[in-house]
Amino acid sequence: QAQFVESGGALVQFGGSLRLSCTASTAIFRSIFMTYGMGWYRQPPGKQRELVASITGDGSTNYVDSAKGRFTISREDAKRTVWLQMNDLKPDDTAVYYCNRLRAPYTWGQGTQVTVSS
């Protein structure tokens, strides 16, 4: 079963902003969650899932080139939550966004739909 729940997706205008949240289930204790490298992924229709941003347990981050300067990934271990702040959104950002553990990911959840209108 999925161990993370994504939320925050919406229909937004070109250039708009959204903040997505990813919250771990209660089955994942804080002491365990804080050791996970976590990633935000997206999957546009008809395309393969793509890693957009990642964050290690110690807070180091990486981004796909198209997201650099626009997206920021962060984590709050006390809340067992990973955030994705998305600014200056473009139609190409339209996708279902998922979060998961980087290594040995859990079952994928439902994701959250982000739609950017032109």
Side-chain angles (χ1 to χ4, degrees):
Q1 298 185 32
Q3 297 299 121
F4 302 99
V5 177
E6 303 92 344
S7 63
L11 171 64
V12 298
Q13 296 180 11
F14 188 106
S17 296
L18 286 172
R19 187 166 80 150
L20 309 183
S21 66
C22 165
T23 300
S25 77
T26 56
I28 302 178
F29 297 115
R30 179 193 60 79
S31 60
I32 299 174
F33 177 81
M34 64 188 296
T35 70
Y36 289 175
M38 294 290 296
W40 276 101
Y41 303 76
R42 66 186 178 192
Q43 186 170 30
K47 297 182 67 176
Q48 190 164 316
R49 200 188 327 267
E50 170 192 42
L51 179 64
V52 178
S54 63
I55 185 166
T56 66
D58 65 3
S60 297
T61 60
N62 281 290
Y63 302 91
V64 68
D65 285 346
S66 62
K68 291 179 179 178
R70 300 188 299 124
F71 292 6
T72 303
I73 187 171
S74 60
R75 65 191 298 156
E76 189 170 355
D77 290 339
K79 295 183 177 180
R80 306 190 316 281
T81 297
V82 180
W83 311 93
L84 184 67
Q85 178 67 47
M86 304 186 295
N87 299 323
D88 192 25
L89 284 162
K90 305 174 181 179
D92 283 349
D93 296 319
T94 295
V96 178
Y97 283 71
Y98 304 87
C99 67
N100 214 330
R101 182 184 181 183
L102 288 173
R103 187 177 73 178
Y106 291 97
T107 300
W108 297 95
Q110 296 299 306
T112 186
Q113 177 71 51
V114 172
T115 303
V116 185
S117 64
S118 59

